[in-house]
Amino acid sequence: MAADSGATVQESKDDGPKIPDKKKTKFDVVIIGAGPSGYTAGIYCSRAGYDTLILSGILPGGQLVNTTEVENYPGFENGIMGPDLMMIEMRKQCQRMGTTIVDDEAVDVDFRRKPLKVLTASEEYEGRAIIIATGANPRKLGLEGEETFGGKGVSYCATCDGPFFRNQELVVVGGGDSAVEEATFLTKFATTVHLVHRRDELRASKVMQDRAQSNEKIKFHWDSAVTDIKGDQKVQEVVLKNLKTNEESKLTVGGLFVAIGHEPNTKLFKNQIDLDEEGYVILKNKTHTNIEGVFAAGDVHDRIYRQAITAAGYGCMAAIDVDKYLTESADKQE
Ligand code: NAP
C-alpha cells in the first residue's frame, strides 16, 4: 500500500531528485485509526487549524473497506461502495483539509506523561492531544466460507445489509442481544430467519427474547453451530450441526448474519487508559478518557449503534472536545 508519509517533499530548484524533508513527528493532534470516526476527526481538527496526523494502520478505512455497497450513509443518493467511501471520499476530503495521513501502525503508546506519545515500528510521534479511533472488529466463526462469501451473503451487520435480502431465507448466528435484535430486524425483509445458537438458552435480555419468540418468522435452532457455508457466486446453503447429537442438516438460504459479539481494538491501550471488562474504552465525560488529553471516538467505545454515521458523529464530537481542551490548555499557559 502506498504510504502518504509524514515527510514533506521538497522539489530542488534545478529539477533534480526530490529530497525528502526531515520527518515531522510533532503534531497538535494525533488520531489513531482511519475509519469514519478517525477521518471525521481529522477533517474537523485540520479545519480548526490544528496540525493533525492520522496514523491509519496498515489497512486503513475500517470495517467499511470490507463492505460492498453502502446505502445508508447520507449524501450518496445511489449508494456508494464501502472502499470508495473510505479510501477515496473521506481520505481525500481529509487530505484536502491538510491532515497528514501516515499508513503505518501504532505499536505502542505512552500516555503516562506529557508529551503524549504514539509509537510505530520506526517513528515516535507526539501529540498535544490524542484521539483513539481504532474501532472494533466483529467476531468471526472461523469458517473458510466467511472469507469466500464476505459481501456475497455473509454479513456482520443486519442494519447495514438487511435491506439487500428482501424475500429471502436468512440465518443469524448468536444468542446475545445483537443476534436476537438482528434476527427480529431481519424479519422486516426475510421470509424466514433461522436463529442458530450453540446452547439451549439465549443470553439476550428477556424483553428481546420474548419479542423474538413471539415472532412467527423466527425459527430457533438450539444447541447448534454453522459448520459450513456453500454457494456458487453467493451464499446458497448453510450446514448446521447439532452439538448434542452431532446430526447435520442443511438450510437453503440467501444470507448468513454472524452476530456473536465484537472485539474493540484496544490491546494497545491496556494499562494506559481505563477499559471495561470487554476492552471497550470507558469515557469519563463526553469523549474524554480518564487521561487528560486523550479522547476516544467510534466503535472503540460504542457497543450500541456501531454505524458508519454514528462513528463519524463521534469523530466530530471528539474533535470539538479536543479543540476546547487545547484552547483551554493554551489559556492556562498564558
Ligand atoms: P454477547 O452478549 O457477547 O453475545 C454473543 C453471543 O454469541 C452469545 O450468545 C455467545 O454464546 C455467542 N457466541 C460467541 N462466540 C461464539 C462462537 N464462536 N460461535 C457461536 N456462538 C458464539 O454479544 P452481543 O450480543 O453483540 O452484545 C454485546 C453487548 O452489547 C451486550 O452487553 C449487549 O447487551 C449489548 N447490546 C445491547 C443491545 C440493546 O440493548 N439494544 C443490542 C445489541 C447489543 P453463549 O451465550 O453461549 O456465550
Side-chain angles (χ1 to χ4, degrees):
M1 174 124 353
D4 297 312
S5 87
T8 51
V9 175
Q10 290 182 330
E11 262 179 82
S12 64
K13 287 198 178 103
D14 60 1
D15 260 0
K18 291 176 179 176
I19 306 156
D21 205 359
K22 190 175 175 297
K23 269 214 172 133
K24 183 172 163 53
T25 55
K26 291 184 183 171
F27 291 85
D28 293 323
V29 189
V30 176
I31 298 166
I32 313 172
S37 54
Y39 280 140
T40 306
I43 292 165
Y44 271 76
C45 288
S46 297
R47 199 161 175 267
Y50 294 110
D51 199 2
T52 304
L53 167 72
I54 290 182
L55 271 179
S56 71
I58 290 164
L59 293 170
Q63 291 179 56
L64 284 188
V65 166
N66 301 320
T67 311
T68 50
E69 196 178 358
V70 179
E71 284 190 326
N72 55 0
Y73 199 89
F76 301 94
E77 184 190 357
N78 300 310
I80 181 167
M81 297 307 279
D84 291 348
L85 176 61
M86 301 314 302
M87 300 306 294
I88 300 174
E89 302 296 340
M90 286 199 198
R91 186 178 172 100
K92 287 196 166 171
Q93 187 176 0
C94 220
Q95 286 171 320
R96 192 170 76 79
M97 292 297 154
T99 312
T100 301
I101 301 175
V102 174
D103 290 329
D104 201 356
E105 195 174 20
V107 295
D108 202 359
V109 294
D110 186 357
F111 298 157
R112 292 190 185 92
R113 56 193 74 81
K114 302 278 169 57
L116 301 162
K117 287 185 183 157
V118 182
L119 287 74
T120 67
S122 58
E123 293 295 337
E124 189 175 285
Y125 294 98
E126 288 178 18
R128 292 167 59 214
I130 308 286
I131 299 177
I132 297 171
T134 45
N137 291 327
R139 251 183 232 135
K140 295 193 169 183
L141 295 168
L143 299 173
E144 203 181 311
E146 286 178 284
E147 306 306 323
T148 315
F149 298 110
K152 295 174 193 159
V154 173
S155 170
Y156 300 86
C157 177
T159 316
C160 317
D161 298 331
F164 295 122
F165 292 88
R166 282 176 205 277
N167 302 318
Q168 300 190 36
E169 279 199 36
L170 300 173
V171 169
V172 174
V173 185
D177 280 331
S178 296
V180 173
E181 192 172 70
E182 298 207 351
T184 305
F185 174 75
L186 287 169
T187 59
K188 288 175 192 272
F189 316 101
T191 50
T192 303
V193 176
H194 299 271
L195 185 63
V196 177
H197 183 37
R198 63 185 178 184
R199 294 187 296 127
D200 62 0
E201 60 177 348
L202 296 168
R203 180 183 290 278
S205 60
K206 177 87 171 55
V207 58
M208 287 207 202
Q209 290 193 33
D210 290 347
R211 198 173 299 147
Q213 270 156 353
S214 63
N215 189 322
E216 286 176 358
K217 281 189 172 181
I218 300 178
K219 199 167 170 232
F220 292 85
H221 299 260
W222 303 111
D223 300 312
S224 298
V226 170
T227 53
D228 204 359
I229 309 162
K230 294 181 175 176
D232 185 8
Q233 300 294 317
K234 59 184 199 55
V235 172
Q236 288 167 322
E237 190 178 271
V238 162
V239 180
L240 302 189
K241 183 177 173 184
N242 184 301
L243 299 170
K244 285 196 169 152
T245 63
N246 283 336
E247 201 178 305
E248 279 199 350
S249 57
K250 289 174 184 165
L251 292 171
T252 303
V253 294
L256 168 69
F257 286 79
V258 181
I260 60 172
H262 283 72
E263 278 167 14
N265 297 315
T266 52
K267 280 200 189 98
L268 199 58
F269 311 112
K270 219 174 158 193
N271 305 322
Q272 296 270 345
I273 58 167
D274 286 351
L275 306 175
D276 70 15
E277 68 286 353
E278 287 177 63
Y280 285 89
V281 174
I282 298 174
L283 296 181
K284 291 287 166 192
N285 171 27
K286 296 188 277 187
T287 63
H288 297 246
T289 69
N290 62 311
I291 302 291
E292 193 189 274
V294 180
F295 300 74
D299 289 13
V300 76
H301 69 77
D302 167 32
R303 61 173 74 213
I304 306 289
Y305 300 104
R306 295 187 183 125
Q307 301 298 299
I309 187 65
T310 51
Y314 280 121
C316 161
M317 288 155 63
I320 291 171
D321 290 344
V322 161
D323 181 28
K324 195 161 182 288
Y325 164 74
L326 290 178
T327 306
E328 284 172 2
S329 314
D331 287 349
K332 272 186 216 157
Q333 281 166 11
E334 273 172 15

